[in-house]
Amino acid sequence: MGKRSAEDTILMKRVARGEKDALGELYDLYGRLVYSVALHFVRDPNVAEEITQDIFVTIWTKARDYNPERAGVSTWMLRITRNRSIDELRRHKSRRDIPVGTTMDVVQNVNTSNGEAEDPENLAVREWDRVRIVEAVDSLPEQQRQALRLAYFHDLTHREIAEELNEPLGTVKSRIRMGLQKLRKMLEAGEVTE
Amino acid sequence: MITGRQEHEEMSHLLPSYVTGGLEPDEIAAVKRHLRRCVRCRALLAEYRSAFDAVGLSVPLKEPPPSLRSRIIDSLPAQPPYRLPSPIRFILDHPRAAIAASFAVLLILFGSIWLNVSGISGAALPAGNHSARSAEDILAVMSGTSVAPDARAIIAIGADETSGVLYAFGLPVLPAGYAYQLWLMKDGVRKSGGVFRVTPEGHAVHHIRLPVPLTEFPTFGITVEPESGSDDPTGSKILENQAPGSDGASQPGIEETSGFRTDL
């Protein structure tokens, strides 16, 4: 991911210079991720497309403000996609019923993706990293994973999660803390964080 | 009374809740205060944020409609006018003045170095002797490759010709763990001129020292490498010079013998 990260930064520099081809390359690398995350939030393909388009137009106009020392390109894109999706959900006041993905879903989708535009070595490393991330999340105890997903995809506070699950607030706080600590250690060991 | 260690333990315990939006306003304020003065917690916070990002990255991937890519590209608005960093803007707006100023700075700088090396006090020397060095002190002028066409650099040499200074502008800021590495080449042999990072504005001043005169090398290049440096170039080439006698076309043999990559 390190080499990919450095090359992403140079790609962003080209986007900042107004090269539409560079934005196209960025879309080939991360368009599927942005669309999939947005779709997971809003559950409506048309709205997910609209969000994806907004994200890439935002990247186009804000590329000069991107600071690689604060976050990698994929992390930055993931975070602005989450923020944009949460804004969309707030507009429609619909923050419920998020499905749970599994490792097999991801592996199957990775295997059927086209990905022709990317260096095969980079593609293999990136997708292996991704599989490890999914496996790390899937390996969490169900209750911890559920609490973390409610916080991430529903943007619920711990108190709201406790109400949603009908559990004591302290229990929810413990689940989230322990889940995030485990994830941090697993990702640190695999060096997949960017 | 709470000690620094107790506060650190208490605050680091709150970081997962801080990242996931589970703290009350007074707790958030306390964590923010602690983060301002605790480097370890700032590093830990970044790790927890990455862990929370993993929850988002774990979604099943779905293919967007094939038409979405072209719709996005076709809908891109004009980018806002680009404001170059002020030093580059000055150079472009006033090229003659910029060149004159650069030489004046270099002459003073290397005049001072020469005087110090010679053990001669500047005050004891007539002012005119400060310009003893000439434009020949500029060993190489480097231009950005297609990867970073805004990048520019010059290499100036010291009096003993085994040391020099690289001045670079307009280089992309690299992520943590990466740095630029200077390469000096002659007859297919490469030597590393050291690694360096740039300021947030993309500027750098890098000191070079080799056991042999820098003037022996006609060709120079700069690549992206891991921050500890590489034995040979492995990353994208960012800057290169035109070797003396070159007609401005690409230099035959460099790509093949140097191992530089110009592709991404």
Side-chain angles (χ1 to χ4, degrees), chain A residues 66-80:
Chain A
Y66 169 69
N67 180 352
E69 294 186 337
R70 291 175 68 93
V73 173
S74 59
T75 300
W76 180 57
M77 292 177 72
L78 178 73
R79 289 175 185 171
I80 58 177

Side-chain angles (χ1 to χ4, degrees), chain B residues 160-231:
Chain B
D160 63 355
E161 297 192 341
T162 60
S163 65
V165 183
L166 169 84
Y167 298 89
F169 304 91
L171 288 164
V173 177
L174 297 175
Y178 287 83
Y180 291 102
Q181 186 161 3
L182 173 68
W183 302 97
L184 300 87
M185 288 163 287
K186 177 192 176 188
D187 300 332
V189 176
R190 282 181 305 272
K191 277 194 181 298
S192 171
V195 295
F196 61 94
R197 291 182 66 81
V198 298
T199 66
E201 294 77 30
H203 306 161
V205 178
H206 170 64
H207 295 265
I208 311 158
R209 180 168 287 283
L210 289 185
V212 295
L214 304 185
T215 46
E216 287 186 3
F217 298 90
T219 309
F220 300 84
I222 291 174
T223 58
V224 177
E225 303 294 338
E227 64 183 352
S228 57
S230 300
D231 293 335

Side-chain angles (χ1 to χ4, degrees), chain B residues 231-251:
Chain B
D231 293 335
D232 289 298
T234 62
S236 300
K237 183 167 62 170
I238 303 296
L239 281 153
E240 62 188 346
N241 76 313
Q242 292 297 332
S246 163
D247 61 0
S250 65
Q251 300 156 47

Side-chain angles (χ1 to χ4, degrees), chain B residues 5-203:
Chain B
R5 184 180 177 83
Q6 284 173 320
E7 182 192 285
H8 169 75
E9 283 177 6
E10 189 183 327
M11 292 299 136
S12 62
H13 192 69
L14 290 178
L15 288 178
S17 297
Y18 178 75
V19 167
T20 54
L23 296 184
E24 301 299 326
D26 58 330
E27 293 173 309
I28 292 171
V31 171
K32 283 184 174 173
R33 274 196 306 275
H34 177 71
L35 284 170
R36 277 198 289 271
R37 53 180 182 266
C38 181
V39 176
R40 277 194 297 164
C41 278
R42 287 202 294 272
L44 200 54
L45 176 68
E47 290 178 13
Y48 278 127
R49 282 198 167 131
S50 291
F52 197 42
D53 287 336
V55 178
L57 288 169
S58 69
V59 298
L61 289 182
K62 305 290 182 190
E63 287 296 337
S67 62
L68 182 57
R69 186 185 195 275
S70 56
R71 270 188 282 142
I72 288 172
I73 300 294
D74 292 344
S75 72
L76 294 176
Q79 284 190 328
Y82 181 45
R83 295 288 293 165
L84 286 165
S86 53
I88 295 177
R89 210 161 53 233
F90 177 80
I91 289 168
L92 292 179
D93 291 346
H94 310 90
R96 287 171 188 273
I99 290 168
S102 301
F103 277 114
V105 169
L106 289 168
L107 290 174
I108 291 167
L109 176 66
F110 287 103
S112 302
I113 291 171
W114 185 79
L115 292 173
N116 288 336
V117 168
S118 309
I120 301 170
S121 159
L125 205 68
N129 283 17
H130 283 268
S131 59
R133 307 290 295 175
S134 72
E136 289 170 2
D137 290 325
I138 306 300
L139 184 62
V141 177
M142 305 174 78
S143 306
T145 62
S146 59
V147 175
D150 295 337
R152 298 284 182 273
I154 57 171
I155 297 175
I157 52 170
D160 63 355
E161 297 192 341
T162 60
S163 65
V165 183
L166 169 84
Y167 298 89
F169 304 91
L171 288 164
V173 177
L174 297 175
Y178 287 83
Y180 291 102
Q181 186 161 3
L182 173 68
W183 302 97
L184 300 87
M185 288 163 287
K186 177 192 176 188
D187 300 332
V189 176
R190 282 181 305 272
K191 277 194 181 298
S192 171
V195 295
F196 61 94
R197 291 182 66 81
V198 298
T199 66
E201 294 77 30
H203 306 161

